[in-house]
Amino acid sequence: MAKSQTVEVVGEVVILVTSILAVGLVLTYVTVTYGNYASYITAHGELANIVLEAYGYLVNGSTVIILGNLGRVNAYVAKVYALGSNSSTPISLSNVREYLSYTSPQASNPVTIDGRLLLEPGHMAIVVVKGTYWGVSVEACPTPTSNTCGWVMLKWSVSTYTPVNSTSIQGQLGSINVGSVTIEVANDTLGIPWVVTVTINGPGGYTYSKGGSGDLTWVQALANSLQTLDTSISLVNQSGYAGGLSIYQLGDSTYGCIAEPRGYLNVTSGVVKYTINCYRLPTSQVTIIAYYSGPGPAELTLDPTWVLVNGWNKFTLETTPGPHELSYAANGVCWFNGTLTGSSGSVEVNVPNSTYTILVSLICGESPFYVNAHVEDNLTTGSGEAHYMIYTGDANHHVFDEASGSTSQWFRLRLPGLSGYVWGVVTGGVPSQYTKCYLYNASLLGIGSTPPEYPVTNGSTISLYVHCLPGSGVVYWIVKLQGAVWDLDVVWWTLTDSYGHSVTNQISSFNPQYSGNFSVNGPDTLTLSLYVEPGFHYECSVASQNPQTVNPGQTAVFTIDCNYVVNRPTSTTTTTTTTSTWGGYWSLYITVNDNPGVSYTITDQYGNNLSGSQSVSQVFFANYPPGTSAQLTASTVPSCTISPSSTTITPTSPNMYVTFTVSCGSSTSSPTSTPTPTPTTTPTSTPTSTPPPTSTTPTSTTSSPPPTTVTTTGTANAPPPPPTFTGFYQVCAQGSVPLGQAVAFECIVAWKGHTVTELAANLVTQYPNFVESTTLYYDISNSPAGALGEWSISGNCPPGFVVEFGTSGGNFAVQLSGTTGTYTWYVTISAWCYNQHIGRAFVFLTRWNPPELPIDWLLRGGTNVEGVIAPLYMRAWEAYVNAWLAVNGFTLDLFILLALIAPILARPATRRLRLT
């Protein structure tokens, strides 16, 4: 039950009354005498902080009712009744004429929320009701929708408003403000910056700050007799403190300043005067003579900062007497005035009131303190070698020295002093059944955990081994091949995740799919990278989303798209190279400075790519096996350049970094470009100024000389789905590919009304035609495999030349979800002419080496010649064919090849006897 109380108050306040004129309401401030002013505080729950007040005044046969909020929280008025001598009249909230604060005559429109009038703290609402009333009954709520509301009856003594020209004493116009306080800042002869904070307490109160420098005076008005004023002053931008003074350096002199009185002052009227007093402080002439020896320059600070060079250094300054901090920062381990303090340190210097000289000795260099650490890689025998980092430093994991390793190794690490700590973490090769591994020794007492730190001393030896923790869940993964790879140990993939797991294997048409799982504690991000052995004509890329983030229990499916290209076009680009000193697995991170914000694409020779149209910093690009380099090629839109256009990264550490910069000359506008699609496989072709081909692309005619490389790239866009379609929408951009060009044809699959789970695409080549077909898996059944796109190569090569082509992006399978969505990918087809008279250079191997049988085997009674030699013959034959194909490719008809070597195969095995 809401509790109300009536408070009897007699006094003068400032209120707002309304004069009724023929044209409307005119608001004026008046001073009146009143009694029976009433308010209430509800004693429970959300209503506890609501405080209301009400006034009523007779004006020309009507009552002007003022309802105000004296509390600290919003009140939402649901119902109001005007109380008369014999009846009550409901007041519609829509009849509220004005809404304003206690401290400002500026009115605003009343606000109602869900049928309730908003009454903010320090604000009042004005309503005019015809007739004579002595009070109101109000239902107030804490929120616009709360059911916890309370009723209160507010009474006033009936007063009569008299116009200004009346001879009546009651209702005479008075001052706008009940009172005021004058605030004065004086004696700021030096122009010291200051800030005065003013807080107005009471109904309608608020806080503000006024800043300045020099002398200033202003008047702060008080809006009602319940308000008081708090003020305080502070000096700003000081350069230091000394004995309670704010220190300022003005020219060649130092001053100490203070503003008085200090602290907060609470007043209701009168003048608050702040006086700023400044005193010139005595100074001392200080000379610093410092001897420094160490790698590179160092810094010495005593108020200003100086750079120390090797040898003797001398500095002078004028400063105030008293304590000062003398600090340094250098490289390596340092002895500061004979004390080992590390690479940084400080001492307190007490400057007297006189000329003073400070002698400093700073000797820095490599630490002479070492610890010998042995790491036992106990993972090597079970799950492959672990990659780990071992560190020395202090007890808070601050690194002083570090080393990386794999397998079991000894390390000699520097210590920051006569003692220190050793710890280590596993950075790669975490077994799939664990989530985290670190270096550990159960027989030693360490501090902390995951990883623990072990105390060591100079010259000591410590042994650590790999310790792993299991996870609380499992994520699953699948890596599968789309396309054909008929060579073993040529296409390699590496799958890594955010927990340090790593799996590497080869993939081919003989082993087209792998699966496994990783132990995790939550969401996991998996990333797939590719590597193709040099000399093989495969172009491979990750056709599925990469990387993928999955939760425990979910499966990440990666699809590798590989295409065989007979002859890869070449181009002349600038190249940079780094020198290799790292022989293990390594990762590449890329930074792109793309201030123009145009599209760019960066690829390597294994099909990994990065596309975007904005700057990125050190984003993960790919993982690479030992002994490999990354050959990066970068491209951007016409009229812009990206530097370097190509570069070869050969690892010197486990993590390598490279930066590309996009520039577009002096033009202020960015060139128009076609963004590279990011949700799916990035096409190998890059946007150029060539108009995109359409279904009516004219057949190109060859010129002399014919195009022997791809010189032009373009994109053909598919028509988007209509906004009102339901069911399925599948389409590819149509057209043909002129010789010397590469065209990325956009394909779209959209669905609405069905839950889609997977999309599979397959590109079939029937030269000179190419057909892209899909199968869409959804909740009811599977959509029939349909031919979305059909393309062809237009144009003919002149005599002596043949047409060659390459394809990518048309084979993949991707997991989808949702009842509404769109999936987009690109199929890239390129074509050019090849001169038959140069460059083919088929190699016919005139001699091969079938297996030989030792004669002593026959002499001991061996008779099953065919059973022994047949497997050996087939192995030698496979080696011969692989060697032939590595040189010539698949371009020679198989029957011709068989005809060339059949006589050799038919040679009797008994002719191949070896005398031993």
Side-chain angles (χ1 to χ4, degrees), residues 598-619:
V598 299
S599 298
Y600 60 84
T601 298
I602 301 170
T603 60
D604 67 5
Q605 73 270 37
Y606 311 126
N608 304 301
N609 65 78
L610 172 66
S611 298
S613 57
Q614 61 183 3
S615 297
V616 295
S617 178
Q618 294 185 3
V619 298

mmCIF file with all atom_site columns, all heavy atoms in Angstrom, residues 598-619:
data_model
loop_
_atom_site.group_PDB
_atom_site.id
_atom_site.type_symbol
_atom_site.label_atom_id
_atom_site.label_alt_id
_atom_site.label_comp_id
_atom_site.label_asym_id
_atom_site.label_entity_id
_atom_site.label_seq_id
_atom_site.pdbx_PDB_ins_code
_atom_site.Cartn_x
_atom_site.Cartn_y
_atom_site.Cartn_z
_atom_site.occupancy
_atom_site.B_iso_or_equiv
_atom_site.pdbx_formal_charge
_atom_site.auth_seq_id
_atom_site.auth_comp_id
_atom_site.auth_asym_id
_atom_site.auth_atom_id
_atom_site.pdbx_PDB_model_num
ATOM 1   N N   . VAL A 1 598 ? 40.554 -0.096  -52.767 1.00 0.00 ? 598 VAL A N   1
ATOM 2   C CA  . VAL A 1 598 ? 40.166 -0.793  -53.992 1.00 0.00 ? 598 VAL A CA  1
ATOM 3   C C   . VAL A 1 598 ? 40.428 -2.289  -53.819 1.00 0.00 ? 598 VAL A C   1
ATOM 4   O O   . VAL A 1 598 ? 41.102 -2.728  -52.901 1.00 0.00 ? 598 VAL A O   1
ATOM 5   C CB  . VAL A 1 598 ? 40.931 -0.247  -55.214 1.00 0.00 ? 598 VAL A CB  1
ATOM 6   C CG1 . VAL A 1 598 ? 40.618 1.208   -55.421 1.00 0.00 ? 598 VAL A CG1 1
ATOM 7   C CG2 . VAL A 1 598 ? 42.438 -0.443  -55.034 1.00 0.00 ? 598 VAL A CG2 1
ATOM 8   N N   . SER A 1 599 ? 39.875 -3.069  -54.740 1.00 0.00 ? 599 SER A N   1
ATOM 9   C CA  . SER A 1 599 ? 39.998 -4.525  -54.643 1.00 0.00 ? 599 SER A CA  1
ATOM 10  C C   . SER A 1 599 ? 41.418 -4.987  -54.969 1.00 0.00 ? 599 SER A C   1
ATOM 11  O O   . SER A 1 599 ? 42.089 -4.409  -55.828 1.00 0.00 ? 599 SER A O   1
ATOM 12  C CB  . SER A 1 599 ? 39.007 -5.207  -55.601 1.00 0.00 ? 599 SER A CB  1
ATOM 13  O OG  . SER A 1 599 ? 37.684 -4.875  -55.256 1.00 0.00 ? 599 SER A OG  1
ATOM 14  N N   . TYR A 1 600 ? 41.850 -6.039  -54.303 1.00 0.00 ? 600 TYR A N   1
ATOM 15  C CA  . TYR A 1 600 ? 43.148 -6.651  -54.572 1.00 0.00 ? 600 TYR A CA  1
ATOM 16  C C   . TYR A 1 600 ? 43.047 -8.153  -54.304 1.00 0.00 ? 600 TYR A C   1
ATOM 17  O O   . TYR A 1 600 ? 42.144 -8.612  -53.593 1.00 0.00 ? 600 TYR A O   1
ATOM 18  C CB  . TYR A 1 600 ? 44.243 -6.036  -53.695 1.00 0.00 ? 600 TYR A CB  1
ATOM 19  C CG  . TYR A 1 600 ? 43.985 -6.190  -52.212 1.00 0.00 ? 600 TYR A CG  1
ATOM 20  C CD1 . TYR A 1 600 ? 44.329 -7.352  -51.523 1.00 0.00 ? 600 TYR A CD1 1
ATOM 21  C CD2 . TYR A 1 600 ? 43.350 -5.176  -51.492 1.00 0.00 ? 600 TYR A CD2 1
ATOM 22  C CE1 . TYR A 1 600 ? 44.064 -7.498  -50.170 1.00 0.00 ? 600 TYR A CE1 1
ATOM 23  C CE2 . TYR A 1 600 ? 43.090 -5.307  -50.148 1.00 0.00 ? 600 TYR A CE2 1
ATOM 24  C CZ  . TYR A 1 600 ? 43.447 -6.458  -49.484 1.00 0.00 ? 600 TYR A CZ  1
ATOM 25  O OH  . TYR A 1 600 ? 43.181 -6.599  -48.156 1.00 0.00 ? 600 TYR A OH  1
ATOM 26  N N   . THR A 1 601 ? 43.955 -8.905  -54.912 1.00 0.00 ? 601 THR A N   1
ATOM 27  C CA  . THR A 1 601 ? 44.026 -10.351 -54.707 1.00 0.00 ? 601 THR A CA  1
ATOM 28  C C   . THR A 1 601 ? 45.488 -10.760 -54.607 1.00 0.00 ? 601 THR A C   1
ATOM 29  O O   . THR A 1 601 ? 46.317 -10.326 -55.419 1.00 0.00 ? 601 THR A O   1
ATOM 30  C CB  . THR A 1 601 ? 43.338 -11.117 -55.854 1.00 0.00 ? 601 THR A CB  1
ATOM 31  O OG1 . THR A 1 601 ? 41.958 -10.759 -55.893 1.00 0.00 ? 601 THR A OG1 1
ATOM 32  C CG2 . THR A 1 601 ? 43.461 -12.615 -55.639 1.00 0.00 ? 601 THR A CG2 1
ATOM 33  N N   . ILE A 1 602 ? 45.802 -11.600 -53.626 1.00 0.00 ? 602 ILE A N   1
ATOM 34  C CA  . ILE A 1 602 ? 47.155 -12.119 -53.424 1.00 0.00 ? 602 ILE A CA  1
ATOM 35  C C   . ILE A 1 602 ? 47.053 -13.638 -53.412 1.00 0.00 ? 602 ILE A C   1
ATOM 36  O O   . ILE A 1 602 ? 46.251 -14.205 -52.658 1.00 0.00 ? 602 ILE A O   1
ATOM 37  C CB  . ILE A 1 602 ? 47.759 -11.597 -52.109 1.00 0.00 ? 602 ILE A CB  1
ATOM 38  C CG1 . ILE A 1 602 ? 47.808 -10.053 -52.120 1.00 0.00 ? 602 ILE A CG1 1
ATOM 39  C CG2 . ILE A 1 602 ? 49.147 -12.185 -51.885 1.00 0.00 ? 602 ILE A CG2 1
ATOM 40  C CD1 . ILE A 1 602 ? 48.154 -9.462  -50.769 1.00 0.00 ? 602 ILE A CD1 1
ATOM 41  N N   . THR A 1 603 ? 47.838 -14.300 -54.273 1.00 0.00 ? 603 THR A N   1
ATOM 42  C CA  . THR A 1 603 ? 47.801 -15.761 -54.365 1.00 0.00 ? 603 THR A CA  1
ATOM 43  C C   . THR A 1 603 ? 49.219 -16.315 -54.292 1.00 0.00 ? 603 THR A C   1
ATOM 44  O O   . THR A 1 603 ? 50.199 -15.602 -54.517 1.00 0.00 ? 603 THR A O   1
ATOM 45  C CB  . THR A 1 603 ? 47.142 -16.211 -55.688 1.00 0.00 ? 603 THR A CB  1
ATOM 46  O OG1 . THR A 1 603 ? 47.915 -15.689 -56.791 1.00 0.00 ? 603 THR A OG1 1
ATOM 47  C CG2 . THR A 1 603 ? 45.719 -15.688 -55.796 1.00 0.00 ? 603 THR A CG2 1
ATOM 48  N N   . ASP A 1 604 ? 49.298 -17.616 -53.953 1.00 0.00 ? 604 ASP A N   1
ATOM 49  C CA  . ASP A 1 604 ? 50.590 -18.294 -54.044 1.00 0.00 ? 604 ASP A CA  1
ATOM 50  C C   . ASP A 1 604 ? 50.489 -19.437 -55.053 1.00 0.00 ? 604 ASP A C   1
ATOM 51  O O   . ASP A 1 604 ? 49.430 -19.662 -55.666 1.00 0.00 ? 604 ASP A O   1
ATOM 52  C CB  . ASP A 1 604 ? 51.047 -18.800 -52.668 1.00 0.00 ? 604 ASP A CB  1
ATOM 53  C CG  . ASP A 1 604 ? 50.162 -19.913 -52.131 1.00 0.00 ? 604 ASP A CG  1
ATOM 54  O OD1 . ASP A 1 604 ? 49.240 -20.382 -52.838 1.00 0.00 ? 604 ASP A OD1 1
ATOM 55  O OD2 . ASP A 1 604 ? 50.385 -20.311 -50.983 1.00 0.00 ? 604 ASP A OD2 1
ATOM 56  N N   . GLN A 1 605 ? 51.586 -20.139 -55.246 1.00 0.00 ? 605 GLN A N   1
ATOM 57  C CA  . GLN A 1 605 ? 51.637 -21.154 -56.289 1.00 0.00 ? 605 GLN A CA  1
ATOM 58  C C   . GLN A 1 605 ? 50.849 -22.401 -55.915 1.00 0.00 ? 605 GLN A C   1
ATOM 59  O O   . GLN A 1 605 ? 50.686 -23.300 -56.737 1.00 0.00 ? 605 GLN A O   1
ATOM 60  C CB  . GLN A 1 605 ? 53.094 -21.523 -56.610 1.00 0.00 ? 605 GLN A CB  1
ATOM 61  C CG  . GLN A 1 605 ? 53.791 -22.361 -55.536 1.00 0.00 ? 605 GLN A CG  1
ATOM 62  C CD  . GLN A 1 605 ? 54.490 -21.515 -54.499 1.00 0.00 ? 605 GLN A CD  1
ATOM 63  O OE1 . GLN A 1 605 ? 54.003 -20.459 -54.124 1.00 0.00 ? 605 GLN A OE1 1
ATOM 64  N NE2 . GLN A 1 605 ? 55.658 -21.972 -54.035 1.00 0.00 ? 605 GLN A NE2 1
ATOM 65  N N   . TYR A 1 606 ? 50.326 -22.464 -54.675 1.00 0.00 ? 606 TYR A N   1
ATOM 66  C CA  . TYR A 1 606 ? 49.598 -23.648 -54.241 1.00 0.00 ? 606 TYR A CA  1
ATOM 67  C C   . TYR A 1 606 ? 48.077 -23.435 -54.220 1.00 0.00 ? 606 TYR A C   1
ATOM 68  O O   . TYR A 1 606 ? 47.339 -24.312 -53.794 1.00 0.00 ? 606 TYR A O   1
ATOM 69  C CB  . TYR A 1 606 ? 50.064 -24.078 -52.856 1.00 0.00 ? 606 TYR A CB  1
ATOM 70  C CG  . TYR A 1 606 ? 51.563 -24.164 -52.736 1.00 0.00 ? 606 TYR A CG  1
ATOM 71  C CD1 . TYR A 1 606 ? 52.241 -23.475 -51.742 1.00 0.00 ? 606 TYR A CD1 1
ATOM 72  C CD2 . TYR A 1 606 ? 52.302 -24.916 -53.633 1.00 0.00 ? 606 TYR A CD2 1
ATOM 73  C CE1 . TYR A 1 606 ? 53.612 -23.544 -51.640 1.00 0.00 ? 606 TYR A CE1 1
ATOM 74  C CE2 . TYR A 1 606 ? 53.693 -24.985 -53.547 1.00 0.00 ? 606 TYR A CE2 1
ATOM 75  C CZ  . TYR A 1 606 ? 54.337 -24.295 -52.552 1.00 0.00 ? 606 TYR A CZ  1
ATOM 76  O OH  . TYR A 1 606 ? 55.692 -24.356 -52.445 1.00 0.00 ? 606 TYR A OH  1
ATOM 77  N N   . GLY A 1 607 ? 47.622 -22.268 -54.640 1.00 0.00 ? 607 GLY A N   1
ATOM 78  C CA  . GLY A 1 607 ? 46.193 -22.011 -54.681 1.00 0.00 ? 607 GLY A CA  1
ATOM 79  C C   . GLY A 1 607 ? 45.653 -21.244 -53.501 1.00 0.00 ? 607 GLY A C   1
ATOM 80  O O   . GLY A 1 607 ? 44.470 -20.899 -53.478 1.00 0.00 ? 607 GLY A O   1
ATOM 81  N N   . ASN A 1 608 ? 46.453 -20.977 -52.468 1.00 0.00 ? 608 ASN A N   1
ATOM 82  C CA  . ASN A 1 608 ? 45.983 -20.151 -51.369 1.00 0.00 ? 608 ASN A CA  1
ATOM 83  C C   . ASN A 1 608 ? 45.816 -18.712 -51.850 1.00 0.00 ? 608 ASN A C   1
ATOM 84  O O   . ASN A 1 608 ? 46.611 -18.228 -52.672 1.00 0.00 ? 608 ASN A O   1
ATOM 85  C CB  . ASN A 1 608 ? 46.965 -20.203 -50.201 1.00 0.00 ? 608 ASN A CB  1
ATOM 86  C CG  . ASN A 1 608 ? 47.203 -21.629 -49.732 1.00 0.00 ? 608 ASN A CG  1
ATOM 87  O OD1 . ASN A 1 608 ? 46.272 -22.318 -49.347 1.00 0.00 ? 608 ASN A OD1 1
ATOM 88  N ND2 . ASN A 1 608 ? 48.460 -22.071 -49.806 1.00 0.00 ? 608 ASN A ND2 1
ATOM 89  N N   . ASN A 1 609 ? 44.827 -18.011 -51.325 1.00 0.00 ? 609 ASN A N   1
ATOM 90  C CA  . ASN A 1 609 ? 44.596 -16.645 -51.789 1.00 0.00 ? 609 ASN A CA  1
ATOM 91  C C   . ASN A 1 609 ? 44.016 -15.797 -50.690 1.00 0.00 ? 609 ASN A C   1
ATOM 92  O O   . ASN A 1 609 ? 43.420 -16.289 -49.735 1.00 0.00 ? 609 ASN A O   1
ATOM 93  C CB  . ASN A 1 609 ? 43.667 -16.636 -53.020 1.00 0.00 ? 609 ASN A CB  1
ATOM 94  C CG  . ASN A 1 609 ? 42.280 -17.128 -52.686 1.00 0.00 ? 609 ASN A CG  1
ATOM 95  O OD1 . ASN A 1 609 ? 41.475 -16.404 -52.111 1.00 0.00 ? 609 ASN A OD1 1
ATOM 96  N ND2 . ASN A 1 609 ? 41.993 -18.379 -53.050 1.00 0.00 ? 609 ASN A ND2 1
ATOM 97  N N   . LEU A 1 610 ? 44.211 -14.477 -50.826 1.00 0.00 ? 610 LEU A N   1
ATOM 98  C CA  . LEU A 1 610 ? 43.641 -13.460 -49.942 1.00 0.00 ? 610 LEU A CA  1
ATOM 99  C C   . LEU A 1 610 ? 43.100 -12.339 -50.816 1.00 0.00 ? 610 LEU A C   1
ATOM 100 O O   . LEU A 1 610 ? 43.827 -11.783 -51.624 1.00 0.00 ? 610 LEU A O   1
ATOM 101 C CB  . LEU A 1 610 ? 44.705 -12.916 -48.975 1.00 0.00 ? 610 LEU A CB  1
ATOM 102 C CG  . LEU A 1 610 ? 44.285 -11.706 -48.131 1.00 0.00 ? 610 LEU A CG  1
ATOM 103 C CD1 . LEU A 1 610 ? 43.181 -12.106 -47.151 1.00 0.00 ? 610 LEU A CD1 1
ATOM 104 C CD2 . LEU A 1 610 ? 45.484 -11.122 -47.381 1.00 0.00 ? 610 LEU A CD2 1
ATOM 105 N N   . SER A 1 611 ? 41.818 -12.023 -50.671 1.00 0.00 ? 611 SER A N   1
ATOM 106 C CA  . SER A 1 611 ? 41.181 -10.965 -51.450 1.00 0.00 ? 611 SER A CA  1
ATOM 107 C C   . SER A 1 611 ? 40.498 -10.001 -50.504 1.00 0.00 ? 611 SER A C   1
ATOM 108 O O   . SER A 1 611 ? 40.039 -10.377 -49.424 1.00 0.00 ? 611 SER A O   1
ATOM 109 C CB  . SER A 1 611 ? 40.152 -11.544 -52.432 1.00 0.00 ? 611 SER A CB  1
ATOM 110 O OG  . SER A 1 611 ? 40.768 -12.409 -53.358 1.00 0.00 ? 611 SER A OG  1
ATOM 111 N N   . GLY A 1 612 ? 40.415 -8.728  -50.897 1.00 0.00 ? 612 GLY A N   1
ATOM 112 C CA  . GLY A 1 612 ? 39.736 -7.730  -50.083 1.00 0.00 ? 612 GLY A CA  1
ATOM 113 C C   . GLY A 1 612 ? 39.753 -6.382  -50.757 1.00 0.00 ? 612 GLY A C   1
ATOM 114 O O   . GLY A 1 612 ? 40.250 -6.217  -51.882 1.00 0.00 ? 612 GLY A O   1
ATOM 115 N N   . SER A 1 613 ? 39.203 -5.394  -50.048 1.00 0.00 ? 613 SER A N   1
ATOM 116 C CA  . SER A 1 613 ? 39.189 -4.014  -50.542 1.00 0.00 ? 613 SER A CA  1
ATOM 117 C C   . SER A 1 613 ? 39.400 -3.045  -49.404 1.00 0.00 ? 613 SER A C   1
ATOM 118 O O   . SER A 1 613 ? 38.885 -1.938  -49.425 1.00 0.00 ? 613 SER A O   1
ATOM 119 C CB  . SER A 1 613 ? 37.862 -3.727  -51.253 1.00 0.00 ? 613 SER A CB  1
ATOM 120 O OG  . SER A 1 613 ? 36.767 -3.962  -50.378 1.00 0.00 ? 613 SER A OG  1
ATOM 121 N N   . GLN A 1 614 ? 40.156 -3.453  -48.386 1.00 0.00 ? 614 GLN A N   1
ATOM 122 C CA  . GLN A 1 614 ? 40.501 -2.585  -47.277 1.00 0.00 ? 614 GLN A CA  1
ATOM 123 C C   . GLN A 1 614 ? 41.796 -3.071  -46.650 1.00 0.00 ? 614 GLN A C   1
ATOM 124 O O   . GLN A 1 614 ? 42.241 -4.193  -46.909 1.00 0.00 ? 614 GLN A O   1
ATOM 125 C CB  . GLN A 1 614 ? 39.392 -2.555  -46.228 1.00 0.00 ? 614 GLN A CB  1
ATOM 126 C CG  . GLN A 1 614 ? 39.112 -3.919  -45.615 1.00 0.00 ? 614 GLN A CG  1
ATOM 127 C CD  . GLN A 1 614 ? 37.961 -3.877  -44.637 1.00 0.00 ? 614 GLN A CD  1
ATOM 128 O OE1 . GLN A 1 614 ? 37.337 -2.850  -44.448 1.00 0.00 ? 614 GLN A OE1 1
ATOM 129 N NE2 . GLN A 1 614 ? 37.673 -5.007  -44.014 1.00 0.00 ? 614 GLN A NE2 1
ATOM 130 N N   . SER A 1 615 ? 42.391 -2.223  -45.817 1.00 0.00 ? 615 SER A N   1
ATOM 131 C CA  . SER A 1 615 ? 43.657 -2.568  -45.191 1.00 0.00 ? 615 SER A CA  1
ATOM 132 C C   . SER A 1 615 ? 43.450 -3.663  -44.146 1.00 0.00 ? 615 SER A C   1
ATOM 133 O O   . SER A 1 615 ? 42.430 -3.700  -43.452 1.00 0.00 ? 615 SER A O   1
ATOM 134 C CB  . SER A 1 615 ? 44.270 -1.333  -44.522 1.00 0.00 ? 615 SER A CB  1
ATOM 135 O OG  . SER A 1 615 ? 44.561 -0.339  -45.481 1.00 0.00 ? 615 SER A OG  1
ATOM 136 N N   . VAL A 1 616 ? 44.423 -4.569  -44.070 1.00 0.00 ? 616 VAL A N   1
ATOM 137 C CA  . VAL A 1 616 ? 44.433 -5.623  -43.055 1.00 0.00 ? 616 VAL A CA  1
ATOM 138 C C   . VAL A 1 616 ? 45.837 -5.678  -42.464 1.00 0.00 ? 616 VAL A C   1
ATOM 139 O O   . VAL A 1 616 ? 46.818 -5.270  -43.097 1.00 0.00 ? 616 VAL A O   1
ATOM 140 C CB  . VAL A 1 616 ? 44.028 -6.996  -43.629 1.00 0.00 ? 616 VAL A CB  1
ATOM 141 C CG1 . VAL A 1 616 ? 42.590 -6.976  -44.102 1.00 0.00 ? 616 VAL A CG1 1
ATOM 142 C CG2 . VAL A 1 616 ? 44.955 -7.400  -44.776 1.00 0.00 ? 616 VAL A CG2 1
ATOM 143 N N   . SER A 1 617 ? 45.937 -6.184  -41.241 1.00 0.00 ? 617 SER A N   1
ATOM 144 C CA  . SER A 1 617 ? 47.217 -6.224  -40.545 1.00 0.00 ? 617 SER A CA  1
ATOM 145 C C   . SER A 1 617 ? 47.495 -7.627  -40.039 1.00 0.00 ? 617 SER A C   1
ATOM 146 O O   . SER A 1 617 ? 46.746 -8.161  -39.219 1.00 0.00 ? 617 SER A O   1
ATOM 147 C CB  . SER A 1 617 ? 47.226 -5.232  -39.382 1.00 0.00 ? 617 SER A CB  1
ATOM 148 O OG  . SER A 1 617 ? 48.448 -5.296  -38.669 1.00 0.00 ? 617 SER A OG  1
ATOM 149 N N   . GLN A 1 618 ? 48.549 -8.224  -40.565 1.00 0.00 ? 618 GLN A N   1
ATOM 150 C CA  . GLN A 1 618 ? 49.073 -9.514  -40.112 1.00 0.00 ? 618 GLN A CA  1
ATOM 151 C C   . GLN A 1 618 ? 47.979 -10.568 -40.007 1.00 0.00 ? 618 GLN A C   1
ATOM 152 O O   . GLN A 1 618 ? 47.807 -11.221 -38.984 1.00 0.00 ? 618 GLN A O   1
ATOM 153 C CB  . GLN A 1 618 ? 49.810 -9.352  -38.777 1.00 0.00 ? 618 GLN A CB  1
ATOM 154 C CG  . GLN A 1 618 ? 51.072 -8.510  -38.889 1.00 0.00 ? 618 GLN A CG  1
ATOM 155 C CD  . GLN A 1 618 ? 51.852 -8.443  -37.598 1.00 0.00 ? 618 GLN A CD  1
ATOM 156 O OE1 . GLN A 1 618 ? 51.499 -9.066  -36.605 1.00 0.00 ? 618 GLN A OE1 1
ATOM 157 N NE2 . GLN A 1 618 ? 52.926 -7.677  -37.583 1.00 0.00 ? 618 GLN A NE2 1
ATOM 158 N N   . VAL A 1 619 ? 47.233 -10.748 -41.091 1.00 0.00 ? 619 VAL A N   1
ATOM 159 C CA  . VAL A 1 619 ? 46.225 -11.806 -41.142 1.00 0.00 ? 619 VAL A CA  1
ATOM 160 C C   . VAL A 1 619 ? 46.888 -13.106 -41.592 1.00 0.00 ? 619 VAL A C   1
ATOM 161 O O   . VAL A 1 619 ? 47.808 -13.110 -42.397 1.00 0.00 ? 619 VAL A O   1
ATOM 162 C CB  . VAL A 1 619 ? 45.064 -11.441 -42.091 1.00 0.00 ? 619 VAL A CB  1
ATOM 163 C CG1 . VAL A 1 619 ? 44.348 -10.215 -41.608 1.00 0.00 ? 619 VAL A CG1 1
ATOM 164 C CG2 . VAL A 1 619 ? 45.579 -11.212 -43.509 1.00 0.00 ? 619 VAL A CG2 1
#
